[in-house]
Amino acid sequence: MQAMAWQARATALAPAGMVVPAALATTLLARLRTGKPLPALSALSAVTTRDLLVLLGANDALPWVDGARYCAPHPQAPNLWMPTHLEPALPVDLVQTNLLARAGSSPVLLWHAPELLLPLAAAQALTPSLLDWLAGKLA
């Protein structure tokens, strides 16, 4: 994939997800296991790569971890998720159309560092057993 040119957003989007590097994932997962009651936990869903943990959920349901970055769908391209403080320099509707065709599913997260295109359709609701599994995979 060629590098995407990014520009700062005039106003950040309200977070609807968080992106955590694997190095911080164990801290986040431990906090989730001990601090969230089951109904609040199930309000979040997760998808992972070898290097990142992505949590999706309402802004007020997202936990805080130092070093986490936040993402949200673009208002004019709702199947294209991106950092809350950046947007592509190209028209987002064209970027969304192109990336959805490449990914074969929607929605997708377009991330800047590390550069990544991640389908979000496979995100799974968080449960205690999924937290344990993620902790083992991301440790």
Side-chain angles (χ1 to χ4, degrees):
M1 179 169 33
Q2 293 182 338
M4 173 69 65
W6 294 90
Q7 58 193 20
R9 292 185 58 82
T11 304
L13 298 172
M18 64 189 303
V19 178
V20 180
L24 297 175
T26 53
T27 301
L28 173 62
L29 293 170
R31 182 169 293 153
L32 288 169
R33 281 198 304 269
T34 60
K36 292 268 188 191
L38 189 56
L41 193 61
S42 64
L44 299 171
S45 58
V47 64
T48 64
T49 70
R50 181 180 61 221
D51 302 317
L52 296 173
L53 170 63
V54 180
L55 288 184
L56 305 174
N59 184 15
D60 60 350
L62 295 170
W64 184 87
V65 173
D66 190 27
R69 299 292 178 250
Y70 294 89
C71 62
H74 194 283
Q76 283 78 47
N79 285 313
L80 180 61
W81 289 57
M82 61 189 59
T84 56
H85 66 290
L86 296 174
E87 64 184 345
L90 297 170
V92 292
D93 59 332
L94 296 179
V95 173
Q96 176 180 256
T97 300
N98 181 282
L99 294 180
L100 291 180
R102 288 180 190 216
S105 67
S106 68
V108 295
L109 172 66
L110 177 62
W111 201 246
H112 63 296
E115 191 173 274
L116 172 75
L117 177 64
L118 180 64
L120 299 175
Q124 296 182 13
L126 284 184
T127 61
S129 60
L130 181 58
L131 286 176
D132 292 342
W133 184 84
L134 288 170
K137 285 293 186 185
L138 295 171

